[in-house]
Amino acid sequence: MKACNLTDDLLVEILVRLPFKSLCRFKCVSKSWCRVISDNFLRQRLPPIVTGLFLRSESAQFKKARYAYTSSNGTVQDCNLNFFPFGEKSTVVHGANGLLLYFSSALRTYYVVNTGMKLWVSLPKAQKAAQLSMLAFDPYSSTDYRVVCFTAWRAQGAELEIYSSETGKWDQHEVKFGVEPDALSSRMHYFNSLLYIIANPNMIVAVNLKKISCNLIRLPEKINSLSHVGHCQGRLHYAHIDGNKLKIWMINYLNRSGWELKHEINLREII
């Protein structure tokens, strides 16, 4: 069968099963293959690979923030963060996909640090003090990032100040969650322009940072301190530990197919 006779849907199902090196080489097969492989839809279907891990320790031996990354031969190595001159005078408040968000309370300045390329940038000063800040960066969708600051809580909502790397400026917004702010947890996840916030007792608040609108997603079980939300291969996932059981659900939010239990693992059998 010739490459040009394969439909895009069938081609995607084949390509997502290939090693990454083969996938890169196959971009040279034809213009249509190059277009499909370069498309964000395929990239979202690919399994994620952990390339780095950021950690902080309060021990006397490791007082500084550390970042470890996986090298080409599969070993884990420390990444030197000394290239960032404000590391000692600022604090890491959030991180996303290789970027770290620092904040200096003395200078009232945010910094975004690219640990892989060893680059950093200081942001313009925000107009209001933030009660909670997070970095929204999804390289599968765009190379641009946002810094989201919750500056004040309102009845079933909040005031936001959002910095966009695309425009280079801060914008202020008001958003309605549909739940009271004290129901929100600090566990958030950003994917495909949506900020997902876990909320009590069994909800996810999905904030669209482009439209500044909210949607509530009901979870299959009540949350606890070990509940988390993330994404894999273009789908939203919810992980929940109850006793010795780890449950992982997934949802296809594009067609609203609902939650589906993907894995149920007895932790006693693996620990």
Side-chain angles (χ1 to χ4, degrees):
M1 182 181 291
K2 295 182 179 180
C4 59
N5 292 332
L6 292 174
T7 64
D8 286 356
D9 291 343
L10 180 58
L11 185 58
V12 166
E13 292 301 321
I14 296 173
L15 294 176
V16 294
R17 291 165 171 78
L18 296 177
F20 282 96
K21 289 185 178 180
S22 299
L23 197 61
C24 293
R25 289 199 299 266
F26 288 164
K27 293 175 70 175
C28 301
V29 170
S30 66
K31 290 183 178 180
S32 62
W33 279 44
C34 181
R35 173 181 55 81
V36 172
I37 294 173
S38 302
D39 191 81
N40 280 336
F41 177 74
L42 175 65
R43 294 169 61 191
Q44 292 176 2
R45 292 285 309 279
L46 296 174
I49 294 179
V50 178
T51 56
L53 175 67
F54 172 76
L55 59 94
R56 283 182 293 183
S57 175
E58 300 298 330
S59 66
Q61 185 180 2
F62 302 116
K63 288 185 177 180
K64 295 183 179 180
R66 303 172 66 201
Y67 188 86
Y69 68 95
T70 54
S71 61
S72 57
N73 60 8
T75 60
V76 178
Q77 301 179 8
D78 272 335
C79 174
N80 190 339
L81 296 176
N82 292 336
F83 67 91
F84 177 53
F86 298 99
E88 298 287 345
K89 300 179 180 179
S90 55
T91 304
V92 176
V93 294
H94 198 246
N97 295 303
L99 299 185
L100 297 178
L101 178 64
Y102 281 80
F103 179 70
S104 170
S105 56
L107 301 175
R108 293 185 58 250
T109 302
Y110 287 96
Y111 305 92
V112 175
V113 178
N114 187 320
T115 56
M117 300 182 67
K118 295 189 176 182
L119 299 174
W120 63 274
V121 62
S122 61
L123 306 187
K125 285 184 171 58
Q127 296 185 19
K128 297 182 179 180
Q131 300 187 29
L132 179 65
S133 304
M134 62 90 60
L135 180 64
F137 175 55
D138 178 17
Y140 288 100
S141 301
S142 172
T143 56
D144 296 314
Y145 60 84
R146 294 180 176 89
V147 176
V148 182
C149 297
F150 295 80
T151 57
W153 305 111
R154 297 289 181 257
Q156 294 199 350
E159 293 183 7
L160 305 179
E161 192 167 6
I162 302 177
Y163 174 83
S164 169
S165 64
E166 183 178 11
T167 63
K169 64 178 183 178
W170 293 90
D171 291 309
Q172 298 187 33
H173 306 275
E174 288 191 13
V175 64
K176 286 290 186 180
F177 299 133
V179 297
E180 292 298 331
D182 56 6
L184 303 180
S185 72
S186 59
R187 283 159 286 166
M188 304 182 185
H189 176 70
Y190 178 74
F191 172 60
N192 199 23
S193 300
L194 294 175
L195 175 61
Y196 296 97
I197 310 173
I198 295 180
N200 286 296
N202 61 335
M203 303 295 290
I204 292 179
V205 179
V207 184
N208 189 316
L209 295 183
K210 286 186 176 180
K211 300 179 180 179
I212 312 298
S213 60
C214 285
N215 182 40
L216 292 178
I217 302 173
R218 186 174 297 276
L219 290 169
E221 291 189 4
K222 289 185 177 181
I223 71 169
N224 59 27
S225 60
L226 299 176
S227 300
H228 292 276
V229 63
H231 77 274
C232 179
Q233 295 182 307
R235 294 189 180 185
L236 184 68
H237 284 63
Y238 171 68
H240 177 84
I241 295 179
D242 185 6
N244 295 314
K245 286 188 177 181
L246 168 62
K247 297 180 180 180
I248 300 176
W249 286 268
M250 69 176 181
I251 188 173
N252 189 336
Y253 66 92
L254 294 176
N255 60 20
R256 302 178 184 273
S257 60
W259 292 104
E260 175 186 344
L261 184 61
K262 188 175 182 181
H263 300 290
E264 185 171 352
I265 303 170
N266 189 335
L267 298 178
R268 284 187 174 180
E269 296 179 356
I270 61 176
I271 298 178

